[in-house]
Amino acid sequence: MGRNNEKNIKKHNDKLHKAQAKAKQAEIARKEKLKEIIKKFNESKE
């Protein structure tokens, strides 16, 4: 029985994909916040 059995590979990939999804969500949230800040800044400038 080696380390590269199906169960371990699946567990690793699930963990990896969860981490990637979390990073992607964080990036989207940052962009949304930036849009809000820019919107407020432009409103206050006028």
Side-chain angles (χ1 to χ4, degrees):
M1 189 165 130
R3 289 187 303 163
N4 285 344
N5 62 25
E6 282 298 312
K7 197 171 88 179
N8 288 345
I9 291 171
K10 184 181 180 334
K11 197 189 287 185
H12 171 75
N13 285 341
D14 288 348
K15 199 185 284 184
L16 183 68
H17 295 150
K18 194 175 183 182
Q20 288 172 340
K22 195 174 179 183
K24 195 172 185 180
Q25 282 302 109
E27 191 178 323
I28 291 169
R30 273 199 304 275
K31 284 181 181 175
E32 288 297 316
K33 266 188 189 164
L34 187 63
K35 275 185 197 171
E36 286 298 311
I37 292 169
I38 291 170
K39 194 184 229 181
K40 282 183 181 173
F41 178 75
N42 286 337
E43 284 174 3
S44 67
K45 234 168 60 169
E46 288 172 357

